[in-house]
Structures are given as structure tokens and as C-alpha cells.
Amino acid sequence: MIAPAAVHVRAPGKINLSLRVGAVGADGYHRLATVFQAVSLYEDVVAEAAEGISLSVTGRAAAEVPTDETNLAWRAAQLLADATGTGAGVHLRITKGVPTAGGMAGGSADAAAALLACDLLWGTGLAREELGELAAELGADVPFALTGQTAIGVGRGDVLTPALARGRFTWVLAMSDRGLSTPEVFRVWDEQNPAAAPVPEVEPELMHALVAGDPHGVARYLVNDLQPAAIELRPELQDVIDAFEASPSLAAIVSGSGPTVVGIAAGPGDAADVAESVRAAGVADEVLVVTGPSLGARLVEPVAAEVD
């Protein structure tokens, strides 16, 4: 017997091309100015009808991901149910492709995918803008996982303005099996920056380079204010950056709160050479080539729910 239809949604991981950090605001969060780009590394979430809310996780570092109500995707489903008053339940099957606690917002991608998948499964019919408002309640990176592409984020990083980026950019990711705690990175940043600027800004030159589709220009303006804090907590990250600098990479920085390090290449051929060089240096647990920008959370295909 065919079980009730399920919904498969895919959402991208992100990298931060620029991450400027300011002082803590009245809401207790740091003011940020960042440029996000979604890349071709994804989280897949299949939502199928069930009693109550539950989830299971497979894929990259699945054993490190909670499968209870502390999981951001579970919280997303619960938030949508509460906001719409639906009594429907869901089982979320998450397949992870983005590093866990890697500075690429894999958990946020799960939450964005869960919001869209549950909305489609339950027929709650929220507009994308309404889903975005719920996404912002879940975390600063969740709204971007919904929209994807390239965007400027201010406030906590959740107030988004789409940004034009022509062409495709090729990135090399050097990933670690050990994650970094974002709160810990910000704690160290606070110690390193006792007199932070109240409202940071994104460099206009970076935006010009994105519009021009110029990887060399983008490379000149890659910046991450959290990088020194991440390196203090994980000194071996400097070895990863050094390995990129010894390769054909145009530039490399820590992504977000780390520990993933991203390098930009002039094109796909150079990216393969960069990846080979970084792998040979033995400084990362995994090295991948990805491209950006990528679409945000989107329906992949209707699927049948699993039955015993």
C-alpha cells in the first residue's frame, strides 16, 4: 500500500565572504554585517506524515546531531505547527551534506528545509515572507538558507538584502571532523575586542567585484573578523590557511565561526589544483570543491513515505 505523500526539500550550506562583527546590541546579540553566499553543498530533508514530531539523521557526522526537540529542524516543525494551529505531525528524515558545527550553517539549512517541507506537507500555505519571519525566530542564519543565492545580512545577520553576483564562483572547502562552538568563538572575540564598533559595514569593493563576476576582486576583500578567535581556539587552522596560501588559491579565510576554511579559485581547473595541494598538505579531514551561488530551500520532488 502506498503511504501518504511525503515532501523532499533541499537547502544549501553557506559561506561568509565578509563577516564584520560589532558590539553587542540591546537584544544581547552582536551587530553583524556579512555577505552570505549559498554553495553547492546541501542538506536534504524529507517530511512524511506521522503522529507527533520526530526525526532521524544520516549522512556526514550524523552521530553528532541530536534527534530530539533540541534539533533546530524539530524546533522549526514545532514553530510552524504552533504558528498555524495545525494538529498534524511529521517525521523528518535528514541527510546531512554540510559539516556539523563547521561554520557553514548546516543546522540552519535543516531548519529552513523543515519549515518549507512541513508547510507543503501540511498544506498550511504560508507565503515565503511568512516563512522568513518564522525562520528569523529560529536563528540568524535560517532566513538566508531559505533565500540562498548571495545576500547582505545585517542586524544579527537575519535582515537580508539580495545581492547581485554574476557568473559562478568556485570554492575549495577544507573541513575538520571536529566542530567549533559558535558561542565560544564569540566569547574569545569579545575578549580580543573590548571596544568594538557599534555598527559594522560591508566593504563596497566586495560588492562591486561580485557584480563584475571577478574572483580576483572578490579574493582581495574576503575578510572574517572571527578568524583570530577561531585560530586562538584551534591553532591548527593557521596551518590550513598556510596550505591554501602555498596553493594556487587566490585567498582563503575561515568560514563563519569555523572550523571550515574556504579558498577561492580563479576557476574550476585551478580549484582542482588547489584541492590537490591542500589534500597533500594533510591539514584537513576532507577537501571538497563547490560552486556558488546556489538556490535556497526548494522542493526537490514528491516522494512516497517509508512504510514497514
Side-chain angles (χ1 to χ4, degrees):
M1 185 179 72
I2 301 298
V7 175
H8 179 186
V9 171
R10 175 169 292 161
K14 61 82 181 169
I15 56 177
N16 298 82
L17 313 190
S18 174
L19 178 53
R20 292 300 197 184
V21 182
V24 175
D27 59 0
Y29 290 93
H30 291 81
R31 301 300 91 183
L32 303 177
T34 187
V35 179
F36 296 111
Q37 186 162 98
V39 296
S40 57
L41 197 62
Y42 302 101
E43 301 285 280
D44 285 276
V45 175
V46 174
E48 54 194 12
E51 293 293 324
I53 297 174
S54 60
L55 62 81
S56 56
V57 183
T58 58
R60 177 175 278 118
E64 301 174 23
V65 180
T67 56
D68 59 14
E69 62 274 9
T70 64
N71 185 290
L72 204 56
W74 183 311
R75 290 170 52 200
Q78 187 65 64
L79 180 62
L80 180 64
D82 293 343
T84 60
T86 182
V90 66
H91 179 75
L92 301 170
R93 290 191 273 126
I94 300 172
T95 303
K96 296 196 64 64
V98 179
T100 299
M104 294 186 66
S108 296
D110 290 339
L115 279 175
L116 180 57
C118 290
D119 179 62
L120 295 171
L121 180 72
W122 295 338
T124 44
L126 268 63
R128 275 278 178 154
E129 293 77 10
E130 294 173 299
L131 290 176
E133 292 172 4
L134 294 179
E137 295 184 38
L138 293 163
D141 291 337
V142 183
F144 178 71
L146 270 178
T147 63
Q149 302 286 6
T150 305
I152 298 171
V154 296
R156 294 185 299 142
D158 58 331
V159 181
L160 300 175
T161 302
L164 180 61
R166 286 196 172 92
R168 303 290 293 170
F169 294 89
T170 309
W171 304 92
V172 178
L173 309 180
M175 300 184 294
S176 171
D177 289 342
R178 291 194 303 130
L180 261 176
S181 163
T182 297
E184 273 294 287
V185 174
F186 273 101
R187 179 189 63 77
V188 173
W189 185 90
D190 286 334
E191 293 173 353
Q192 294 175 341
N193 299 272
V199 182
E201 296 181 352
V202 167
E203 296 78 4
E205 295 87 353
L206 173 59
M207 309 315 298
H208 297 159
L210 286 168
V211 170
D214 176 14
H216 291 85
V218 169
R220 283 194 291 273
Y221 294 100
L222 293 180
V223 64
N224 181 1
D225 286 350
L226 292 179
Q227 182 166 303
I231 291 174
E232 181 171 320
L233 287 167
R234 193 74 62 78
E236 61 268 28
L237 288 178
Q238 187 60 56
D239 296 333
V240 185
I241 293 169
D242 291 345
F244 273 101
E245 291 178 349
S247 79
S249 174
L250 302 178
I253 58 171
V254 172
S255 177
S257 57
T260 301
V261 175
V262 300
I264 186 169
D270 285 341
D273 293 339
V274 171
E276 182 179 354
S277 179
V278 174
R279 286 190 194 103
V283 293
D285 292 307
E286 187 174 6
V287 180
L288 293 177
V289 176
V290 299
T291 60
S294 292
L295 297 173
R298 65 194 188 279
L299 178 67
V300 176
E301 59 185 4
V303 295
E306 291 183 341
V307 291
D308 294 330

